[in-house]
Amino acid sequence: MSIVTVQLGQCGNQIGHEVFSALCSDIRGTHGLCSKNENQSYQDSCKERFFCEEESAVPVARAVLVDMEPKVISQALSMAASSGHWRYSSHSHFCQKQGSGNNWANGYCVHGPRHKEAIMNLVQKEAERCDRLGGFFTIMSMAGGTGSGLGAFVTQCLRDAFPTSFILNHVIWPYGTGEVIVQNYNSVLTLSHLYHSSDALLVHENDVIHKICAQLMNIKQISFRDVNQVIAHQLGSVFQPTHPAGGGSGYSRNPLGDLMETLVPHPEFRMLGLRNIPQMPESSLPYSTFSWPGLLKHLRQMLIANAQMEEGIDWQVRPPQPGSSIPSTNKPLHFNTSIANLLILRGKDVHSVDVGSFQDPSLYTSWLNPQDAFNAWKTPRAFNKYEKSAALVSNSQFLLKPLDSIVGKAWNMFASKAYLHQYTKFGIQEEDFLDCFTTLEQVISSYTNL
Amino acid sequence: MTQSVVVQVGQCGNQVGCRFWDLALREHAAVNKKGIYDEALSSFFRNVDTRSGDNGPDIYKGKICSLKARALLIDMEEGVVNEILQGPLRDVFDSKQLITDVSGSGNNWAVGHKIYGCQYRENIVEKLRKTAEYCDCLQCFFIIHSMGGGTGSGLGTFVLNLLEEEFPEVYRFVTSVYPSGEDDVITSPYNSVLAMKELNEHADCVLPIENESLFEIVNKIHQMINSGKLGSTVKQSSLVTSSAGNAKTLPEKPFDAMNNIVANLLLNLTSSARFEGSLNMDLNEISMNLVPFPRLHYLVSSLTPLYTLADVNVPSRRLDQMFSDAFSRDHQLIQADPKHSLYLACALLVRGNVQVSDLRRNIERLKPSLHFVSWNQEGWKTGLCSVPPVGHSHSLLALANNTCVKPTFIELKDRFMKLYKKKAHLHHYLQIDGMEQSCFSEAIASLSDLIEEYNELDATKGGPRIDPSRLKIAV
């Protein structure tokens, strides 16, 4: 099944480009550590998912590029074309001239309705090019105006036009100390709207990725390109072909569906975090060896202690003792309770890995059956030159603190009525803001009481 | 890509505007090596086929034929505009973009606003429409004027009003030069306060400039060059005050150095809209992020670095120094000290080879020494543009919505009241058709209200931080 990617705004388009580059370079690589047949099968599966084969030329990404100003899209198109290994279709982008001015209301109330037809036409065409449509993957930031506002509108349109398809929104959370002053307003408006139309939100936080670049990747002068490449690597480790949970030889045919099924058992809980291990500069790879038990031990503790990367993990945090019926409010502080976890393992000796430590019921909330709460997908084909790599997609309290912080700051600003005139100018009123705050306070409350 | 139109009004406005066009050409010449008319150029210039005369059609792509500025030059006396038309920039403007008269406004806001406003209204509207028609997507009007005189102040604010009526969707950014204390125009307080009311009500963003600050910056650079220590290693073309390195060498006139600073301000402000970068900051984003309440739209600006050393091996300590300088008192373009006042919002537009980690590091470093209003503790808007200005490897423009503008306004009010209490020179204004005492009282009331808004915000500074309680959800 194929996935149609919708890249929205500057962030969405910059990241989208890095994602397709990473996917392409992975399948072309010789680091697979598996048989030629296996490799071929992997390549074919990836291509079917993300690329459209043209007769003689390079693969064409199954993507729709949307932005309200032209500079970023033209850069993405030309960079892809000049790579020589893949490209974007020349008819799958939509831009305007003026941008959204970091104004969510402008993106949602003005640009959205105005350009709905044109954008949805492009999406429809891309969907029709798929033999079987597996769903939509949208990439956007929450802080700006286009990705956030227009992105929320487009997600709603996708839901209306494709009621039975899966929609996964990849959302970038901005740096805590501002990139955009009204980012907290834009974030609150985006998240609350996405919660109503999307199936799940997969979140990356700029602060976290920045730390990974600084401490693990040893990059001195970190650029947005570096950040986006780490994000692309993490996404690739989730979305490249995997064998389905029950074993079986072929690659999974329904990646988004499988993801939703394993991770979103309850509609109130849709926020997914992503952790990846190991992460290091490419130059260090030939000199490093990893063991599965080591990797999983770290990853498990990262989950429990809500660590953002494999350095600086707090090993003191432990899950509550099983056997005693502890009401959720008495759980030890800092312990990260999960609803559902998905482990995606790739590389050498993957079938021998023991994932029992993740099936410990004390990791999970009490109202779900622990057997349903955890899944592991194992694939022997290595990813992106890492001999062994593990990705954890988690529906847990990972994002509780950042979400609470964003809502708190936005509320603070809202109480002083600052910047509201910029939103009411385009059609978002105070009552709309209040509705959004209510939705998110509900989400925060639900996650807190796990 | 969007276009902007510059409307330069009065002697000051036109002299600054002239410097702007000169430096804009220099900047594009440095970036655009192939002589192709590209999108960046189109934001301020038209490409006209002049082979068959001045009225040739616009060429939208391909080689540059003749660049024409998207500008309107307005002055009620002919001296300044004539000088521009006889100078090296004469080919950049055509006669249809000029509106001039002979006798000037006599340093009288009322003459500029009421008499000339009325007289030239239709002419101005027609020429604005024509300029707008040449634009594919007009985003912003830049008005350049001074506050203390008659034409720039009076007619300039009349045009501001007009722009709001005729082009309500287009942003209005006003660069206003405020009179200094020792201004030789006695009635400048009247003119400025009358103009302030218009700025309060009709501008989207105002960038106030004070001659004293420009003068101090110019002096600083002179001292540094002549001190002999670093002088010989400074790149001439990098001076924020110079137009060196330009193909059309103009003789330096007295105010040129100071006006170049303002011209550079406008170039840096629009750089992210014209050139590409990893985090774009367009003009509509500036307005959105820096104006929390409609009337509080006065932005204190600072430009760094003021010069570059010719030595190419610039250590990154220099980069951090650039950020520190942007917040220091002597780099601001008005007499103000933002560090000791309250920030409502702050924007940093970085140009050149600077990455997001450099930006973050410096924000973290400088944050503790700055006071931000309680509901906007992380009130930073940032932009990264890849193309540096001429002669620099990187540069920074800081725009602050900060209560440090208050002293400037309070002084203005005091000077106004000194004259007004004695009714000095009032008759020059009141004898103009359309002017009444109420114009004055309304204007001073508008200024007082503005000062009061800033006072209220200042009162919250340093106080205990009480966050409003969050919504409670029934479990």
Side-chain angles (χ1 to χ4, degrees):
Chain A
M1 275 190 172
S2 312
I3 299 175
V4 171
T5 302
V6 184
Q7 310 181 175
L8 296 146
Q10 174 169 26
C11 176
N13 281 292
Q14 283 175 190
I15 292 184
H17 168 260
E18 297 298 340
V19 170
F20 284 107
S21 289
L23 294 174
C24 207
S25 101
D26 177 45
I27 58 178
R28 286 178 48 247
T30 48
H31 50 256
L33 300 180
C34 59
S35 69
K36 208 158 165 240
N37 277 345
E38 177 88 35
N39 209 28
Q40 187 63 47
S41 174
Y42 183 83
Q43 271 190 19
D44 291 339
S45 178
C46 170
K47 279 201 197 145
E48 189 203 348
R49 263 185 211 186
F50 294 107
F51 297 92
C52 196
E53 287 282 19
E54 312 264 284
E55 290 76 35
S56 51
V58 293
V60 177
R62 297 186 192 278
V64 177
L65 293 73
V66 179
D67 200 358
M68 291 296 103
E69 60 110 357
K71 298 196 290 282
V72 183
I73 289 188
S74 35
Q75 254 203 318
L77 290 175
S78 69
M79 275 167 67
S82 59
S83 75
H85 303 302
W86 68 278
R87 64 182 181 87
Y88 285 109
S89 156
S90 33
H91 307 294
S92 282
H93 61 268
F94 177 80
C95 19
Q96 288 295 285
K97 302 197 174 89
Q98 266 221 53
S100 302
N102 288 166
N103 192 323
W104 194 92
N106 196 6
Y108 187 85
C109 306
V110 178
H111 292 309
R114 199 181 280 175
H115 306 301
K116 174 178 174 177
E117 217 183 300
I119 296 175
M120 290 311 285
N121 270 343
L122 292 179
V123 172
Q124 188 70 44
K125 281 214 197 84
E126 207 52 60
E128 278 163 19
R129 269 200 271 271
C130 305
D131 274 339
R132 286 173 69 206
L133 178 64
F136 297 95
F137 181 59
T138 73
I139 313 180
M140 59 215 270
S141 77
M142 314 197 287
T146 300
S148 69
L150 181 61
F153 187 84
V154 167
T155 305
Q156 223 164 282
C157 294
L158 288 175
R159 173 55 70 218
D160 293 334
F162 301 90
T164 54
S165 293
F166 293 105
I167 302 178
L168 176 64
N169 288 80
H170 179 232
V171 187
I172 301 295
W173 289 26
Y175 287 99
T177 359
E179 294 167 29
V180 170
I181 293 175
V182 291
Q183 63 186 40
N184 297 313
Y185 278 168
N186 293 339
S187 303
V188 164
L189 291 162
T190 306
L191 289 173
S192 54
H193 277 79
L194 287 183
Y195 233 77
H196 295 305
S197 27
S198 162
D199 286 309
L201 281 68
L202 181 59
V203 174
H204 268 116
E205 302 163 72
N206 270 352
D207 280 306
V208 173
I209 307 294
H210 191 102
K211 271 211 203 104
I212 292 179
C213 285
Q215 293 177 249
L216 299 180
M217 310 292 279
N218 280 331
I219 305 176
K220 291 282 175 287
Q221 219 193 2
I222 302 169
S223 67
F224 271 115
R225 187 116 198 259
D226 298 316
V227 171
N228 293 344
Q229 282 174 343
V230 171
I231 293 177
H233 171 84
Q234 292 202 346
L235 289 176
S237 72
V238 172
F239 288 112
Q240 285 292 47
T242 51
H243 291 307
S249 54
Y251 284 109
S252 158
R253 304 297 315 279
N254 189 5
L256 287 185
D258 293 339
L259 201 82
M260 305 300 181
E261 205 190 351
T262 55
L263 287 170
V264 190
H266 188 297
E268 184 67 13
F269 301 91
R270 297 184 210 216
M271 306 237 288
L272 308 177
L274 179 51
R275 300 284 184 263
N276 198 320
I277 194 175
Q279 192 101 54
M280 59 176 49
E282 203 178 297
S283 48
S284 309
L285 279 176
Y287 308 105
S288 320
T289 48
F290 311 102
S291 73
W292 283 117
L295 288 178
L296 289 191
K297 186 166 169 213
H298 276 77
L299 200 51
R300 181 177 185 269
Q301 193 62 23
M302 278 162 71
L303 169 64
I304 294 174
N306 201 357
Q308 292 155 348
M309 54 182 178
E310 64 242 45
E311 259 177 44
I313 303 176
D314 184 354
W315 290 94
Q316 300 300 319
V317 181
R318 294 246 177 282
Q321 291 310 303
S324 49
S325 54
I326 304 177
S328 47
T329 42
N330 279 0
K331 281 220 172 97
L333 293 170
H334 312 306
F335 172 71
N336 186 38
T337 312
S338 304
I339 294 182
N341 285 312
L342 171 63
L343 204 55
I344 303 176
L345 305 171
R346 298 176 190 274
K348 201 166 153 198
D349 302 327
V350 80
H351 287 296
S352 63
V353 182
D354 173 15
V355 296
S357 59
F358 281 89
Q359 289 164 321
D360 182 354
S362 61
L363 264 56
Y364 299 94
T365 184
S366 51
W367 44 263
L368 262 187
N369 197 338
Q371 278 134 319
D372 299 327
F374 174 73
N375 273 283
W377 297 348
K378 301 177 183 173
T379 313
R381 204 270 188 191
F383 171 67
N384 208 9
K385 306 196 180 108
Y386 283 83
E387 179 199 70
K388 300 184 177 88
S389 69
L392 174 68
V393 187
S394 174
N395 189 344
S396 65
Q397 294 173 318
F398 262 165
L399 297 160
L400 183 52
K401 251 173 90 195
L403 178 60
D404 191 59
S405 162
I406 290 177
V407 173
K409 288 187 211 164
W411 183 248
N412 210 355
M413 198 182 265
F414 182 69
S416 70
K417 303 215 183 302
Y419 298 101
L420 288 183
H421 70 284
Q422 309 269 16
Y423 290 86
T424 51
K425 190 159 66 169
F426 290 109
I428 294 290
Q429 308 300 330
E430 282 188 37
E431 303 86 67
D432 301 312
F433 270 96
L434 281 171
D435 287 339
C436 295
F437 278 112
T438 313
T439 304
L440 291 182
E441 293 285 4
Q442 182 70 60
V443 173
I444 291 173
S445 171
S446 308
Y447 271 100
T448 312
N449 290 323
L450 276 183
Chain B
M1 190 64 78
T2 55
Q3 290 80 43
S4 301
V5 170
V6 175
V7 181
Q8 31 195 91
V9 191
Q11 174 176 21
C12 171
N14 277 290
Q15 283 175 338
V16 173
C18 180
R19 298 281 77 244
F20 170 75
W21 291 111
D22 189 38
L23 290 181
L25 284 170
R26 183 176 76 146
E27 180 168 272
H28 281 283
V31 174
N32 189 338
K33 299 290 184 200
K34 297 189 195 146
I36 304 282
Y37 180 66
D38 60 8
E39 299 238 314
L41 262 176
S42 86
S43 68
F44 279 114
F45 295 94
R46 288 167 51 210
N47 187 17
V48 181
D49 187 351
T50 45
R51 284 169 300 182
S52 46
D54 237 8
N55 286 326
D58 273 26
I59 308 171
Y60 292 99
K61 281 194 173 43
K63 281 199 103 48
I64 295 173
C65 183
S66 173
L67 290 175
K68 296 279 182 213
R70 298 189 194 277
L72 216 58
L73 286 67
I74 303 178
D75 201 357
M76 293 297 102
E77 43 178 24
E78 298 178 308
V80 180
V81 173
N82 276 345
E83 226 184 301
I84 297 179
L85 292 182
Q86 280 154 17
L89 285 178
R90 61 179 165 275
D91 294 325
V92 178
F93 306 106
D94 71 44
S95 54
K96 298 193 285 315
Q97 297 168 268
L98 317 169
I99 298 177
T100 55
D101 203 311
V102 248
S103 29
S105 305
N107 285 326
N108 187 328
W109 184 91
V111 172
H113 196 94
K114 303 282 183 187
I115 297 188
Y116 286 124
C118 206
Q119 190 176 334
Y120 284 99
R121 188 184 208 282
E122 261 179 62
N123 194 348
I124 296 175
V125 172
E126 197 198 306
K127 296 208 155 111
L128 284 172
R129 290 223 164 279
K130 204 71 216 244
T131 324
E133 264 165 44
Y134 287 129
C135 297
D136 196 14
C137 179
L138 176 60
Q139 187 181 48
C140 184
F141 283 108
F142 284 98
I143 299 181
I144 315 179
H145 71 149
S146 73
M147 299 283 279
T151 303
S153 177
L155 188 54
T157 48
F158 180 83
V159 172
L160 177 62
N161 247 302
L162 209 60
L163 290 175
E164 188 175 21
E165 270 174 46
E166 301 285 325
F167 304 92
E169 313 262 302
V170 181
Y171 286 91
R172 296 170 292 284
F173 274 63
V174 187
T175 308
S176 306
V177 181
Y178 280 68
S180 56
E182 309 92 40
D183 198 273
D184 49 4
V185 175
I186 302 182
T187 50
S188 65
Y190 283 161
N191 296 331
S192 305
V193 172
L194 289 164
M196 275 290 288
K197 173 163 177 289
E198 307 299 316
L199 292 183
N200 278 343
E201 292 172 14
H202 304 291
D204 285 313
C205 277
V206 178
L207 300 161
I209 314 272
E210 278 181 299
N211 273 346
E212 277 162 79
S213 303
L214 297 179
F215 190 64
E216 278 168 20
I217 292 177
V218 169
N219 267 347
K220 200 166 143 161
I221 294 180
H222 271 162
Q223 270 173 10
M224 189 229 52
I225 293 182
N226 296 329
S227 72
K229 247 197 326 188
L230 305 160
S232 55
T233 57
V234 168
K235 273 200 213 167
Q236 275 300 313
S237 61
S238 71
L239 294 178
V240 76
T241 51
S242 94
S243 39
N246 195 355
K248 310 178 191 234
T249 36
L250 295 166
E252 297 257 335
K253 297 197 319 289
F255 278 94
D256 269 0
M258 288 162 63
N259 292 340
N260 277 334
I261 301 178
V262 184
N264 271 310
L265 164 66
L266 289 173
L267 280 179
N268 283 339
L269 190 64
T270 54
S271 61
S272 192
R274 290 176 290 137
F275 302 115
E276 44 95 38
S278 64
L279 189 57
N280 295 334
M281 180 153 97
D282 209 343
L283 294 165
N284 48 9
E285 294 176 28
I286 293 176
S287 166
M288 172 70 180
N289 283 287
L290 292 175
V291 185
F293 301 101
R295 278 157 47 99
L296 301 181
H297 54 243
Y298 293 85
L299 307 178
V300 179
S301 48
S302 67
L303 283 173
T304 56
L306 301 174
Y307 54 82
T308 307
L309 302 181
D311 183 357
V312 188
N313 296 323
V314 170
S316 79
R317 197 188 70 82
R318 283 246 158 241
L319 189 61
D320 287 13
Q321 186 62 42
M322 178 176 83
F323 280 90
S324 301
D325 285 341
F327 291 92
S328 79
R329 201 180 201 291
D330 45 6
H331 280 75
Q332 308 301 319
L333 298 190
I334 64 167
Q335 299 281 291
D337 189 5
K339 259 191 161 153
H340 293 106
S341 302
L342 190 63
Y343 273 90
L344 302 180
C346 185
L348 298 175
L349 217 182
V350 188
R351 296 180 67 173
N353 186 16
V354 183
Q355 301 302 340
V356 64
S357 54
D358 301 311
L359 199 48
R360 307 217 54 72
R361 181 180 68 244
N362 280 290
I363 292 180
E364 291 301 314
R365 188 171 61 87
L366 293 165
K367 221 171 43 148
S369 59
L370 304 170
H371 308 279
F372 273 83
V373 73
S374 67
W375 42 259
N376 206 0
Q377 290 280 299
E378 276 100 26
W380 299 89
K381 164 69 181 159
T382 54
L384 292 167
C385 174
S386 321
V387 177
V390 176
H392 291 266
S393 59
H394 41 68
S395 79
L396 171 64
L397 165 67
L399 295 172
N401 192 341
N402 187 310
T403 56
C404 67
V405 285
K406 204 176 59 169
T408 307
F409 296 154
I410 292 179
E411 260 187 61
L412 199 57
K413 181 179 170 183
D414 289 342
R415 277 187 249 136
F416 175 95
M417 291 310 291
K418 258 205 196 125
L419 293 175
Y420 192 57
K421 276 205 195 103
K422 306 217 186 85
K423 303 204 189 301
H425 305 282
L426 220 47
H427 57 285
H428 291 302
Y429 293 78
L430 295 177
Q431 74 194 10
I432 307 288
D433 209 9
M435 282 300 284
E436 288 159 16
Q437 194 90 14
S438 60
C439 295
F440 280 83
S441 48
E442 276 167 24
I444 198 65
S446 174
L447 182 56
S448 301
D449 286 342
L450 185 65
I451 295 174
E452 196 43 43
E453 274 188 64
Y454 280 110
N455 273 334
E456 276 170 29
L457 285 164
D458 264 336
T460 67
K461 178 177 166 217
R465 166 106 179 260
I466 313 165
D467 288 340
S469 38
R470 299 267 292 272
L471 288 177
K472 296 262 184 296
I473 300 291
V475 173

